[in-house]
Amino acid sequence: MRNLDFSSWHALLSTVVGLALITLIMVGVRLLAMHTVQKRRERENRQINERLRTLIAAYKTLGGSFTGDLSVDPAHLRDLRRMSAPADGETNETASQRSDRSRRMRDAVEAALSDIILLGTEEQVALAARAATELSEGRPTHTAELVVSLRDFIRKVLDLEAVPASLAIPRQGPTRISAMRGKAEGKGDGGGKAAGGGAGGIGGGMGGMSSHATFDNDHEAHR
């Protein structure tokens, strides 16, 4: 402020223009910094949301059951076909559905483990890697410990209260997938296409009949 010159109008105008230019530059730098910080926060929020969405989906896949067989059968389709002999009072179709359900569950668990190895914490990656190793070695795999780790992490990120240690929660296992659901959807799509084709054929037939009728009417008129 000591070097400011107010002795003449020219000097005063130059001083005001200089101060305005400096202020404009400072405001521009501030806006640029705020825009950069906001973009970084938005990117981090998107990454956190995507990570949470993936881990929540993995939690639902790995811990959707509380009853029944809570282990993952590592057998592949060829092994399941060889071992899916009908039990007492069970038909071949029922045995096939049972083996297909087991295969679908294993595939879903493998996909969930892959997502956890990609986006999970260090503890979750270690647990998921151990479960994947058990599956690759052909041993039945339990996911209860990994499900607990996922549940605690998700609740912490969402600022939810921790599950009380005194609360007894049953062990959780993979969600049981219905083998008939996929077949029913496939049949529904096939039936819809067939019905559409039939409707098209009927429409084509009616169009042909209409054209023949028009030709006959014209011929009668000329006669």
Side-chain angles (χ1 to χ4, degrees):
M1 296 295 291
R2 296 178 181 177
N3 298 326
L4 297 180
D5 187 5
F6 298 102
S7 59
S8 63
W9 285 105
H10 184 272
L12 179 61
L13 183 61
S14 300
T15 302
V16 171
V17 171
L19 289 175
L21 183 61
I22 294 175
T23 303
L24 182 62
I25 293 176
M26 294 178 62
V27 171
V29 171
R30 178 181 177 86
L31 290 177
L32 181 61
M34 292 176 61
H35 180 72
T36 303
V37 172
Q38 183 179 3
K39 287 294 184 181
R40 183 181 302 173
R41 287 181 178 177
E42 291 178 356
R43 184 173 63 253
E44 292 175 352
N45 289 335
R46 285 196 300 268
Q47 292 174 351
I48 293 174
N49 291 336
E50 184 64 26
R51 183 185 188 188
L52 271 180
R53 188 181 298 111
T54 302
L55 293 180
I56 289 174
Y59 171 83
K60 292 180 179 180
T61 300
L62 299 179
S65 297
F66 292 93
T67 59
D69 187 6
L70 302 181
S71 63
V72 184
D73 188 356
H76 288 266
L77 182 59
R78 59 180 182 274
D79 302 323
L80 292 172
R81 287 175 177 173
R82 186 172 60 252
M83 296 184 303
S84 60
D88 295 338
E90 188 178 35
T91 62
N92 291 330
E93 184 179 358
T94 304
S96 176
Q97 294 173 6
R98 175 166 49 84
S99 62
D100 187 63
R101 184 186 304 111
S102 177
R103 178 180 62 85
R104 289 173 180 270
M105 180 187 296
R106 190 209 65 225
D107 293 344
V109 168
E110 286 182 348
L113 292 177
S114 177
D115 291 338
I116 294 172
I117 291 175
L118 177 64
L119 298 175
T121 62
E122 182 178 358
E123 177 187 7
Q124 294 163 7
V125 170
L127 294 173
R130 186 178 68 184
T133 302
E134 292 176 351
L135 284 176
S136 64
E137 293 177 353
R139 293 182 290 167
T141 304
H142 294 272
T143 60
E145 188 176 357
L146 178 56
V147 168
V148 172
S149 178
L150 286 171
R151 181 177 62 218
D152 294 341
F153 174 76
I154 292 171
R155 293 183 67 88
K156 182 178 179 181
V157 173
L158 295 177
D159 292 331
L160 299 175
E161 299 82 359
V163 177
S166 59
L167 182 62
I169 299 178
R171 291 176 62 87
Q172 295 174 248
T175 301
R176 290 186 291 274
I177 301 175
S178 175
M180 291 299 295
R181 182 175 56 189
K183 296 181 179 179
E185 292 175 355
K187 291 181 179 179
D189 294 340
K193 292 180 179 178
I202 294 173
M206 293 298 293
M209 293 173 62
S210 177
S211 62
H212 283 300
T214 303
F215 176 78
D216 293 338
N217 292 334
D218 293 341
H219 184 65
E220 290 293 335
H222 286 296
R223 290 179 61 186

